[in-house]
Amino acid sequence: MATAEIDPLLLLRHAIAAGTPVVATASDAADAPETPLPQARFLQFSGAAGDSTPVPVDAPTRFLSNGTPVDLRSIYFAWLNREVAIHEYNAAATRLNEELAKVGLSATVHKFAFVERLDLITWLEGASEESEYIKAAGGPGVSGAAGAAGGAKTALGGSAPLSRSGRGAYIDPRLAVIYSGERHTGDHNTVLRGTKPMDFSHVRKLAVPFTSQKQHGSGAAGAAVSGGSMKPGASLPLNPKGGAVRRPDPIILLSPSASSLLRMSNIKSFLEGGRYTPSDSSSTATMHFLTRTMRDIDPARPLRFILVEGPEHFKPDYWSRVVAVFTTGQAWQFKSYKWNTPGELFKHVQGIYVGWRGEPVPQGIREWGHRVLNCSIDKWTDPTVAGADVNRFHDREVAESIWRAIEYNMRQKGWKRDAGATLGH
């Protein structure tokens, strides 16, 4: 079958769903050995009958970035690096481009923006049936897998057997044509926010005058009832039983840099126990929860903090809950943030730097000034070595100073006993 009749994007999606191998080769021969991606000229897709379909790695796909089709090599490379952070993916793409230049190729791997990469991976793994970046095979107005059902062809020559559920179960080609005519009503996310994430955090500021009036009115009504009589026009409190109000959990962002002293493997023990231990590179944790009583915010109920390394899975309203950002002084950390420059970020969020005592402070930390708390801890020494400081009592002092800075910033942003931030977001 001619290459023009093959949809590389759907072939890759079906291979992922079926768990069949995708092999990079230097030629289109079925028995060609696997080769590294910089030297590869084709991707071999295994068929159900044991055959294979070779597709050139520079073949354009229906995924558009700024109106330009993205080649299959870039799509496949993004899928291989789907689990790494965005800065690690960009670094790997740069290395691959250098290797392509060494073998005499002028082609380069496209570096997807954060939202594009997330959208592509979600579509490829079958979690979404639509993508705003994928051009419909059957013409404008239809996107994603539904649009491909009417016009995309596989190597078998028929209509592409699509997974309606996105979980890898194939359907009959005739049903695929029927499903392509379905009208998608969307879920609650697309209904509320459309196809692109929208930031509605400004609504909180607009609602403050109304909520304060409501609370004042409820208090006046409660006073009228406790007095033994109801004044004319007074109303009962909205919640006379005094039910608890839902308070959002504050979020602390860690630095994904390998040079950071505090990572996911040791941050919890440091902030909870006040003791530093070296980070464990083999740790696979992506999120931690810890509780802390902030006496100036709510002395009766501890706050639960969420600790993550990056905002990859953030919803727009999550940024109003970020109360601190740990940094090593490298500005690339903030590229995927809502506020992606240090000057703007630290107007809204408390910055924290932790380094070794006696070592020079990075230039970035010095330039960002008082908006970033500069902390130093004693260098780590193996407790089994003679003369090593096994108590590390200075660690607790540093941990407490970090908590004091976080609590002060939270109060400045409007955190209260029953509400999250109301200012500065």
Side-chain angles (χ1 to χ4, degrees), residues 84-87 89-90 111-122 133 197 310-314 319 335-337:
V84 304
I86 187 68
H87 67 277
Y89 159 74
N90 288 331
K111 295 181 181 179
F112 291 93
F114 175 77
V115 176
E116 291 178 341
R117 177 169 172 256
L118 180 62
D119 191 274
L120 171 64
I121 293 172
T122 302
Y133 298 100
E312 286 81 4
H313 303 291
F314 270 28
W319 285 104
K335 287 185 178 180
S336 60
Y337 286 17

Side-chain angles (χ1 to χ4, degrees), residues 346-411:
F346 296 124
K347 288 181 182 178
H348 300 272
V349 181
Q350 174 66 53
I352 299 171
Y353 167 76
V354 178
W356 295 127
R357 192 183 307 276
E359 290 193 354
V361 179
Q363 181 179 356
I365 302 300
R366 297 196 302 269
E367 292 176 350
W368 301 338
H370 69 281
R371 299 184 186 277
V372 179
L373 177 65
N374 184 3
C375 302
S376 299
I377 60 175
D378 296 329
K379 289 188 177 181
W380 168 262
T381 53
D382 191 339
T384 60
V385 177
D389 181 10
V390 296
N391 295 319
R392 298 194 63 86
F393 60 91
H394 288 300
D395 292 351
R396 180 172 293 278
E397 295 179 2
V398 174
E400 290 301 320
S401 67
I402 291 174
W403 280 119
R404 286 194 297 270
I406 293 175
E407 183 174 14
Y408 175 81
N409 181 263
M410 291 177 67
R411 286 192 288 109

